[in-house]
Amino acid sequence: MATYINLGASSGGTGNLTINSGGTVTDTNGLIGWVGNSTGTATVTGTGSAWVNSGDMRVGNSGNGTLDILNGGKVTDNTGYIVTSAGTTGTAIVDGSGSSWSSAGSLTVAFAGTGTLVVRNEGTVSDANGFVGSQAGSVGTATVTSSGSSWTNNGGLYVGAGGTGTVNIENGGNVQANNGYVGNSSGSSGSVMVTGAGSNWNSVANVFVGFHGTGSLTVSSDALVTVGSGNPLASTGQADINDGTYAGSIGTIAIQSGGRLTTYGRMHIGEFGAGTLDVTDGGIVNSVGGYIGDLSTGGGTAIVSGMGSIWNNSGDLNIGYSGTGTLTISDGGTVTTGSGQTYTNNGVTTTSTSTVYIAYASGSTGTLNIGSPAGSAAVAPGTLEANTVAFGAGTGTLVFNHTSKDYVFSPAITGNGLVEFLAGSTVLTGNLSQFFGTTYVAPGANLSSGTQQTSSLNGMAGDTQAAMVASRAVGNELLGFERPVTAQNYVFASSMFGSAEGMVGGQASKGAVTLLGGLAYGHQDFTNMTEDDAPTVAAAMRYTFDDPFGDEDKALRPYAELGGWVTPDDRYGFTRDYSTYSGQQSSTGNTRGMQWADYARAGLRWDIDNDNQATAYGEVGQQRLRYAGYTETGGPFLATIDGGVMRYDIMRFGGSYTHNLGRDLYAPLSVTLSGAAAHAFDTHAGMVASIGSASFAGNASNQTWGEFGATLNAALTQHITATLGITGTTGAGPLGTSVHGIAGVGYVF
């Protein structure tokens, strides 16, 4: 066994070694490019071919060196180096299935000088610890590419250990380490890029990006970085990602274009140093908990932007824990938190409650931006999924600076901080009762609460219910509410003023059976609701019994009546009023629908004498209004209203009194006064609106109201009559009072 194999043993000289066909070379130290200005090249190729070094393998010692391990060849050593001297270069390529380089100790890519390691086509490299760019001034690059290619570090991987180091994991390549350090020492610079489906960097314990120096980690194009063994280890302080670990360090993590980063511990963005996390273009980060600006000297910035970009936390998230932290969620990005996760940070054990803490400790500064930061142009917002946003003892700010017209922010807000609404329309649906801070709404921005929006829908349901009650005046007129109960045969035509309704109708009797009804068409205006181009069809059948006492002069005649009315095709206009921080606003919408009512009545007709008649009745019935869904226009908060049915059942008691004025005024006149008391029960609003991601349901209560009418009827001839009168409804709460005038003519057969 040779003690040394020196390739390039003299200045200006060259040395070459090829091991093939299953051959084996054994020595203590293998030195390729041994002295300055020399060049050495070694090739180990073919299955069974091996170079066994019990000491060092140095590819570029003081000269330039190249090592090719191909087609199943193997190299082993105690310690491996690619370049050990400044001003020299070294390159090692491990290529092909079965090709391997194994170091029992460390493997250093560019201890000094410029070194390159390439592992490809199922080649493998393994060591105790890996160093890329070890000493100041060194430049090291390691590339692991293609499926099946791997670099396994049983201890740590130091990228930019003291110099400049780059690791590229591409096209399905795999790198493993117990701990990862990217930008390890002060003045060093490290970069790891993981890209392509199947590419993976797995660190069993921790990853430090910017440990004492400057580090960057980029994960893209469906590649994966995992930290931890698969179980949450955060309670023991393991499996963390530290981005900007110590004071003076700078760390940058970019997860983009479908890249994924999963840690079974916590994310520290700016622990003692400066850290940045960018999750964009569909990147995904999974962590137990997050700290942005963790300790007093730490400064962290995190951005989650773009549809499909997600930062999932199974625990809580801190923005400015003891340092300075900023989180921006924009353009459809999502940040989530979770409950029930127990972990320890700086000696404090916590069980998560799905809370985002802003400026937790005294002296800290935390800012959460929805959309873009203050001073920047507004952009589309992202989503925060959390139970609570809690301001702590530091200086905390929550900024809404977005372009949405219907953004819904659902977490509760607690503590003493500043909430700024700089652009866009925002609805706060969470509990605000424990928020004691300051709210600022800039000109042009809009703010409303879930309570205000729910109240607006309750108001809209009440307005709709009031319109339904008021619209009963049309059905009442068509079904003889303002007329005496008789067996006459007549037709009529009339107009109802205040509703712009034209009507025709009448009744026909034969024996004890009377059929009555009619048709109305027109327009009705109600509070916050209109009904246009609305045909109404009404019909009823009445059966009048004989006087049970046989008194034909002052007959008491019981009767039973079944009837109803329907508007089969309405065009509705709805107005929804709601409160905002800057005042009352309204949004409108148009849709189509229908309305109907039916009843069963039992009554008593008392023919007091030839000039006077009184009636009394009780009835039960129902009324329904169905409408199609629509989207509002106008106003800062536009809702999509689901189609639905407003309904209630009715109990109604009423009566009428008719007096012939002929004996009093010597004129063919009569007057009828009518009234009823109605009560709605089993009321259901059926009104649901969506604003952004939130849904609000409107409620309507059971109501009691009165219905009234008074008509003056004149017999112009034996057959022709004229009628003037009023009719309407009145009730408390949203119902109010509605009065209509009536004018018409009739023909009595």
Side-chain angles (χ1 to χ4, degrees), residues 29-33 53 55-63 65-67 75 77-85 89-92 101-103 105-112 114-117 127 129 131 134-135:
N29 296 311
L31 307 171
I32 304 173
N53 303 273
D56 293 350
M57 166 59 75
R58 301 190 180 191
V59 182
N61 184 57
S62 295
T66 300
L67 171 63
V75 172
D77 55 57
N78 185 60
T79 306
Y81 297 93
I82 302 175
V83 180
T84 58
S85 301
T89 63
T91 300
W101 183 3
S102 177
S103 295
S106 63
L107 173 61
T108 301
V109 182
F111 181 82
T114 301
T116 301
L117 170 65
D127 54 54
N129 294 289
F131 298 88
S134 179
Q135 300 296 306

Side-chain angles (χ1 to χ4, degrees), residues 331-632:
D331 291 317
T334 300
V335 174
T336 71
T337 60
S339 299
Q341 181 69 57
T342 300
Y343 50 92
T344 300
N345 187 60
N346 300 318
V348 179
T349 300
T350 303
T351 299
S352 66
T353 57
S354 186
T355 298
V356 176
Y357 295 97
I358 302 178
Y360 180 82
S362 177
S364 65
T365 301
T367 303
L368 170 59
N369 300 310
I370 303 297
S372 62
S376 300
V379 299
T383 299
L384 175 65
E385 297 180 8
N387 289 338
T388 305
V389 171
F391 289 106
T395 302
T397 306
L398 171 57
V399 176
F400 295 89
N401 188 21
H402 59 81
T403 56
S404 175
K405 294 183 178 181
D406 54 7
Y407 182 72
V408 175
F409 190 76
S410 61
I413 302 176
T414 67
N416 187 358
L418 172 63
V419 182
E420 295 184 309
F421 300 86
L422 304 181
S425 296
T426 303
V427 181
L428 303 180
T429 60
N431 188 339
L432 306 178
S433 63
Q434 298 302 307
F435 173 62
F436 308 110
T438 302
T439 300
Y440 170 71
V441 180
N446 295 288
L447 167 62
S448 185
S449 69
T451 299
Q452 290 170 326
Q453 293 300 321
T454 299
S455 178
S456 76
L457 209 61
N458 289 340
M460 187 174 170
D463 291 339
T464 303
Q465 186 179 25
M468 292 172 66
V469 170
S471 69
R472 293 179 62 82
V474 175
N476 285 344
E477 173 64 13
L478 291 174
L479 296 175
F481 178 70
E482 293 85 10
R483 294 180 177 84
V485 176
T486 69
Q488 284 185 322
N489 297 310
Y490 63 83
V491 294
F492 69 89
S494 63
S495 294
M496 178 177 288
F497 305 103
S499 294
E501 291 276 350
M503 303 181 188
V504 293
Q507 79 174 31
S509 299
K510 184 174 182 181
V513 177
T514 301
L515 301 177
L516 60 160
L519 172 67
Y521 187 86
H523 169 92
Q524 297 190 73
D525 289 320
F526 310 106
T527 302
N528 287 338
M529 180 179 172
T530 61
E531 186 180 48
D532 294 320
D533 301 332
T536 301
V537 179
M541 182 179 71
R542 180 189 305 141
Y543 187 89
T544 304
F545 299 90
D546 292 334
D547 187 324
F549 304 106
D551 187 350
E552 294 298 326
D553 293 329
K554 295 184 178 181
L556 289 171
R557 299 183 184 274
Y559 67 91
E561 185 173 312
L562 296 175
W565 51 268
V566 60
T567 54
D569 185 20
D570 283 355
R571 188 174 67 186
Y572 296 124
F574 291 100
T575 299
R576 185 174 62 89
D577 295 330
Y578 48 88
S579 298
T580 69
Y581 186 89
S582 54
Q584 195 77 1
Q585 300 285 345
S586 297
S587 295
T588 61
N590 297 296
T591 187
R592 303 197 77 90
M594 66 181 298
Q595 185 177 183
W596 69 98
D598 54 63
Y599 64 90
R601 178 183 301 172
L604 183 65
R605 166 183 144 194
W606 182 21
D607 297 327
I608 301 171
D609 55 34
N610 290 334
D611 295 323
N612 296 279
Q613 183 197 79
T615 65
Y617 59 85
E619 69 179 41
V620 292
Q622 61 177 351
Q623 189 171 353
R624 306 287 189 263
L625 187 148
R626 184 189 300 276
Y627 53 90
Y630 63 93
T631 299
E632 294 176 334

